[in-house]
Amino acid sequence: TIVIGNLLKDVGLVSSTSEAIRMIKQGAVKMDGNKIEDTKQIIDIGTTAVFQVGKRKFAKVSVE
């Protein structure tokens, strides 16, 4: 499992976990088109999803 902020930083969608938390609070983070509102959301191993930060940053991520 991995916390959403660390995941976004590790795949390069944000430059830091604090930026990830700020973007989540602004409502700019989506997972498979669904807005993420919990800054401490856990992503389970085996999850494959498309993450979006802002309007232009996308990444398809498989958590292993």
Side-chain angles (χ1 to χ4, degrees):
T1 60
I2 186 167
V3 179
I4 185 69
N6 293 337
L7 175 75
L8 295 174
K9 184 183 75 146
D10 291 347
V11 299
L13 289 173
V14 293
S15 59
S16 64
T17 52
S18 59
E19 183 186 355
I21 290 169
R22 187 170 62 250
M23 295 298 268
I24 292 168
K25 287 181 179 175
Q26 291 175 358
V29 178
K30 293 183 179 180
M31 179 173 126
D32 285 336
N34 300 315
K35 191 182 293 184
I36 293 177
E37 296 174 348
D38 182 9
T39 58
K40 293 182 173 63
Q41 182 166 334
I42 302 293
I43 308 300
D44 292 324
I45 291 176
T47 301
T48 299
V50 175
F51 290 89
Q52 177 183 355
V53 177
K55 290 184 178 180
R56 296 184 184 92
K57 292 183 182 178
F58 291 87
K60 185 172 184 178
V61 180
S62 297
V63 181
E64 296 180 7

